[in-house]
Amino acid sequence: HVVSGSNDSSVRVWSLESGECLRTLSGHTAKATSVCVTPDGKHVVTGSEDNSVRVWTLGSGESVRAVQTHTSDVISACETADGKHLVSGSMDNTVRVWSLDNGECVRILCGHTAWVTSVCATADSKFVVSGSNDLSVRVWSLSSGECVRTLTGHTHWVTAVCVTADGKYVISGAADNTVRV
């Protein structure tokens, strides 16, 4: 499947083979800005300009969790590989970590001085990487909430971050037309 977020607030699940829209997920009240299929392939995590993060069952399209306490648009969201937490980055300059069990915010990671545009959890679920319009990439400990490393070098907004499956490398892309490893 391919999953897309839209300006009309919908999230759509598409057949990769036929290109047909299989289902439309409704619940956000503003643009769906982020879509991430969970590592187990069973759920979709979405972020929205309505300041919320939602988790949907990929097969049925049912919304199984919604959290809404960012003070501005959610730009990026993902689930940790162990299935215990949601992670979201927002225009409020924070990264937030949510319990999937009860939907409560368990950590607010502060340090970026501009919008957090991308978040990615490591495969071992021990760290979160965030990229920001402040030109930095930060690595956070999920257990302590501490920023353990700040990576700099981009000369324009960081727009994407990811971590290799083995956890050895952080990859970032930016509006300065560079990718850094």
Side-chain angles (χ1 to χ4, degrees):
H1 297 99
V2 174
V3 184
S4 64
S6 178
N7 286 344
D8 69 2
S9 77
S10 68
V11 176
R12 297 187 196 297
V13 181
W14 305 86
S15 166
L16 194 56
E17 293 80 27
S18 69
E20 173 187 355
C21 181
L22 302 175
R23 70 189 53 80
T24 300
L25 313 179
S26 299
H28 285 300
T29 59
K31 183 190 307 182
T33 54
S34 177
V35 176
C36 184
V37 176
T38 58
D40 65 9
K42 294 180 181 178
H43 296 96
V44 177
V45 178
T46 60
S48 171
E49 288 183 356
D50 65 8
N51 307 352
S52 75
V53 177
R54 288 182 176 268
V55 180
W56 314 81
T57 302
L58 189 56
S60 69
E62 175 188 4
S63 178
V64 294
R65 172 75 61 208
V67 294
Q68 185 165 4
T69 64
H70 272 286
T71 58
S72 192
D73 305 5
V74 174
I75 301 174
S76 184
C78 67
E79 181 179 314
T80 57
D82 62 9
K84 294 181 179 178
H85 297 99
L86 293 174
V87 179
S88 56
S90 171
M91 288 172 59
D92 65 11
N93 304 351
T94 67
V95 175
R96 296 184 189 231
V97 182
W98 312 88
S99 167
L100 268 172
D101 285 338
N102 59 22
E104 291 186 18
C105 183
V106 295
R107 295 224 183 284
I108 300 175
L109 309 178
C110 298
H112 284 294
T113 58
W115 300 355
V116 177
T117 55
S118 186
V119 294
C120 181
T122 58
D124 63 7
S125 301
K126 292 182 179 180
F127 298 94
V128 170
V129 176
S130 59
S132 171
N133 281 1
D134 67 8
L135 316 186
S136 74
V137 174
R138 291 179 179 258
V139 180
W140 307 87
S141 165
L142 265 179
S143 63
S144 71
E146 179 182 340
C147 179
V148 297
R149 180 155 295 146
T150 301
L151 307 172
T152 59
H154 285 293
T155 59
H156 211 297
W157 303 330
V158 177
T159 56
V161 295
C162 69
V163 180
T164 57
D166 62 8
K168 290 183 179 179
Y169 299 99
V170 172
I171 302 166
S172 59
D176 61 9
N177 299 319
T178 65
V179 173
R180 294 182 176 263
V181 180

